[in-house]
């Protein structure tokens, strides 16, 4: 079992001391099954937008020790750190606790030797740079989906993870949800016969920049938010919601920062398709987009003949497998099968085909301790993100493309291959 080094434990205990020599020793850690703070995995959060709040709750609940928080927007750092401190104060029956360090530059957080792992919940255009530098700093990584903005960056993340022997969990948490696991077990177990078609309902590609400049709020380092991008864009509030805003950041919809619905929800539903088809180390070979610019109707084809259709429709996002003997349609909280009773089939141990996880966050923490790959390793996240990203490239170019999933290049198409990477500012090039 992996524990903190002596130096890291000493530093952590100083942090945990707080305002008044406060060290958590009561019933919460001395009873059967409780783990002393000095033996818990310490976590730093990078990117404190809306997604980080749910992640914070999950890691606190599952035994991760959150000791640092970082964001380029000062208005987010304080509330996040306060929430962590309030949690630990309540846990130890204390009036106050100060153990969550606050940062405005993730590089300073990575320099903190007391941190074992980082949670990266920044916009997509920052993922690769922070993740690669985190591997070099010796941190294990939980990174939000989609894994990367470009295919090349995703492959670079895989290489860095392997080179520095880090544990890396992609935030595709549906792999740890029962309805998706059951769907995939049914498909891979042959219970719907041979899969012929997969239909995916997620949004379309991103759009070009079209936002107007707005006054920059105090406490926001906008240049740091733009980060690796070589094109300077003005601040607009829809890209960086305040802690009081109820909407998700719209950077997802702009092609310099995200991949639209194709990568946002696509990183979930195309992921289930890849999982069900047994393609976690590969991908499709042909892409045929519509030519009408509608952002719907893209057709993927795998080497085994399976057709996967991107067919956006109203309603909940889903992944729909159609086989020669039945169908499996899965969305969050719903599994519909043909025959209808198939969804309740108890999968025998001898018929199981997938890694079992029922808690995506605990699975990551357990992987750190065992040094075994988690359910959604960096290679898995990269392959899924690649499916989404090459789909966006096909939509953009409006012509059929042939993809080589082994070499991760388009065949005989220099223009398409240029879109597999992006120029990056020298300071952030990794």
């Amino acid at each position: 079992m992996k524990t903190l080094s002596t130096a890291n434990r000493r530093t952590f205990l100083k942090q945990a001391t707080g305002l008044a020599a406060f060290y958590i020793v009561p019933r919460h850690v001395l009873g059967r099954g409780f783990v002393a703070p000095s033996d818990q995995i310490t976590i730093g959060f990078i990117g404190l937008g809306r997604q980080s709040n749910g992640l914070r709750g999950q890691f606190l609940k599952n035994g991760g020790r959150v000791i640092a928080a970082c964001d380029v927007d000062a208005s987010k750092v304080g509330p996040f750190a306060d929430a962590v401190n309030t949690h630990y104060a309540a846990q130890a029956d204390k009036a106050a606790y100060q153990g969550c360090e606050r940062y405005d530059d993730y590089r300073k957080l990575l320099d903190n030797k007391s941190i074992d792992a980082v949670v990266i919940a920044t916009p997509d255009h920052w993922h690769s740079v922070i993740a690669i530098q985190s591997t070099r700093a010796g941190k294990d990584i939980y990174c939000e989906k989609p894994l990367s903005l470009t295919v090349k960056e995703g492959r670079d993340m895989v290489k860095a993870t392997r080179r520095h022997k880090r544990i890396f969990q992609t935030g595709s948490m549906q792999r740890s949800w029962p309805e998706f696991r059951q769907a995939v077990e049914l498909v891979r177990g042959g219970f719907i016969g041979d899969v012929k078609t997969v239909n995916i309902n997620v949004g379309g590609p991103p759009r070009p920049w079209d936002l107007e400049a707005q006054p920059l709020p105090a406490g926001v380092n906008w240049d740091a938010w733009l980060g690796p991008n070589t094109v300077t864009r003005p601040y607009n509030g829809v890209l960086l919601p305040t802690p009081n805003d109820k909407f998700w950041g719209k950077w997802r919809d702009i092609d310099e920062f995200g991949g639209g619905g194709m990568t946002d929800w696509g990183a979930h539903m195309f992921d289930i398709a890849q999982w069900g088809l047994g393609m976690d180390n590969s991908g499709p070979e042909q892409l045929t987009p519509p030519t009408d610019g509608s952002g719907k109707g893209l057709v993927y084809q795998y080497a085994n003949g399976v057709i996967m259709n991107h067919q956006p429709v109203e309603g909940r996002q889903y992944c729909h497998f159609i086989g020669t003997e039945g169908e499996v349609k899965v969305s969050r909280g719903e599994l519909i099968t043909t025959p209808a009773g198939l969804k309740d089939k108890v999968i025998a141990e001898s018929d199981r085909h997938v890694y079992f996880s029922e808690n995506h966050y605990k699975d990551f923490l357990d992987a750190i301790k065992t040094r075994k790959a988690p359910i959604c390793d960096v290679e898995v996240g990269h392959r899924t993100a690649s499916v989404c990203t090459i789909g966006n490239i096909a939509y953009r170019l409006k012509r059929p493309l042939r993809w080589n999933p082994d070499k991760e290049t388009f065949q005989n198409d220099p223009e398409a291959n240029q879109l597999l990477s992006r120029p990056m500012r020298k300071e952030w090039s990794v």
Side-chain angles (χ1 to χ4, degrees), residues 174-175 180 184 268-276 319 321 330:
Q174 288 180 168
R175 291 206 177 205
F180 292 99
V184 169
H268 286 306
M269 295 305 170
F270 284 116
D271 183 63
I272 300 303
Q274 284 275 109
W275 196 22
C319 176
F321 297 94
V330 62

Side-chain angles (χ1 to χ4, degrees), residues 242-264:
T242 71
N244 296 323
D245 288 325
K246 303 303 181 185
F247 62 88
W248 295 93
K250 304 300 183 184
W251 51 264
R252 294 168 173 81
D253 302 328
I254 305 297
D255 62 10
E256 297 165 9
F257 308 114
M262 282 289 286
T263 63
D264 185 31

